Amino acid sequence: MKRIKEIVIVEGKTDTQLLKELYDVDTIETHGLALDDKTLELIKEASLTRGVIVLTDPDYPGLKIRNQVDQVVDNCKHAFVDKKDAIGKKKLGIAEANKEAVKKAIENVVTFSKQTESITWQDFISLDIIGDKKRRMKVYDLFHLGYGNAKTLFKRLNMVGITKKMIEEKLESEGYSD
């Protein structure tokens, strides 16, 4: 079984159980939105020694937790499972996700950097992503950036250092050229 060096931040026990079926892994559970300062401090300490990967549900509470962790941990890694792959019978979440989607998320982690702008707003607009949800979702998928609106995509592209040229090349290779 493959060992994950970093500690994976998840929302609850069932997420931990699923990850332990797939990997030799240590997790820190946020207990959903009940994430408190004590747990955030633990996550911060873990990031200094082993690093952390944030793997939260693809919904609003998951995004809120992800943002809270990102505020206190420099250069934490992010793993995203698509919403379509995380729908169970009655719930949406990592524990309900198919195992292949979780493996794909862990294998394609991204680190957000807050330093440089790799794509300008003007370049972003010129890619016709804002008015075209299908195209926007394709960019999210191609670069493993999770899910969100156009403004979030712009922010994440910059945080990961993706340029207009990189986006154009990936879209073209997928048959999305103009």
Side-chain angles (χ1 to χ4, degrees):
M1 189 177 287
K2 185 178 177 187
R3 171 89 179 132
I4 297 178
K5 176 182 82 80
E6 297 89 351
I7 296 174
V8 181
I9 311 306
V10 294
E11 292 184 45
K13 289 180 185 135
T14 53
D15 300 337
T16 294
Q17 288 170 344
L18 176 68
L19 279 173
K20 287 191 178 286
E21 287 176 29
L22 302 173
Y23 299 101
D24 178 9
V25 62
D26 295 316
T27 63
I28 295 175
E29 296 164 3
T30 68
H31 306 288
L33 286 173
L35 177 59
D36 58 16
D37 290 340
K38 187 176 163 193
T39 306
L40 278 171
E41 194 57 40
L42 176 64
I43 293 168
K44 190 174 182 178
E45 284 301 312
S47 76
L48 299 174
T49 55
R50 290 181 50 192
V52 295
I53 299 172
V54 181
L55 179 66
T56 55
D57 297 347
D59 57 10
Y60 179 75
L63 178 63
K64 189 168 181 185
I65 294 163
R66 184 179 297 278
N67 290 339
Q68 282 181 279
V69 173
D70 199 46
Q71 292 295 312
V72 298
V73 177
D74 290 332
N75 296 324
C76 70
K77 296 177 182 177
H78 295 270
F80 295 96
V81 172
D82 287 339
K83 199 176 255 188
K84 67 177 173 30
D85 295 324
I87 298 172
K89 286 185 175 85
K90 294 182 180 175
K91 284 182 69 184
L92 168 80
I94 297 302
E96 289 72 33
N98 71 60
K99 292 178 181 177
E100 288 309 308
V102 174
K103 286 181 183 177
K104 181 180 170 190
I106 293 291
E107 289 165 13
N108 292 288
V109 297
V110 294
T111 304
F112 295 154
S113 167
K114 296 166 180 103
Q115 288 117 9
T116 59
E117 183 176 78
S118 59
I119 184 169
T120 65
W121 184 247
Q122 203 56 47
D123 284 343
F124 184 72
I125 290 171
S126 73
L127 290 167
D128 286 331
I129 292 172
I130 293 176
D132 188 341
K133 184 174 182 182
K134 186 177 175 190
R135 191 173 174 96
R136 182 177 80 238
M137 299 319 298
K138 189 67 180 173
V139 172
Y140 266 116
D141 189 43
L142 288 170
F143 293 99
H144 310 286
L145 297 174
Y147 173 84
N149 61 25
K151 190 175 176 184
T152 299
L153 177 59
F154 174 71
K155 183 175 149 192
R156 288 183 183 168
L157 289 169
N158 272 303
M159 292 171 106
V160 178
I162 294 168
T163 64
K164 178 183 179 184
K165 186 176 194 295
M166 292 163 75
I167 296 166
E168 289 171 333
E169 287 170 359
K170 282 259 195 178
L171 285 173
E172 191 174 323
S173 73
E174 293 287 320
Y176 274 78
S177 60
D178 293 330

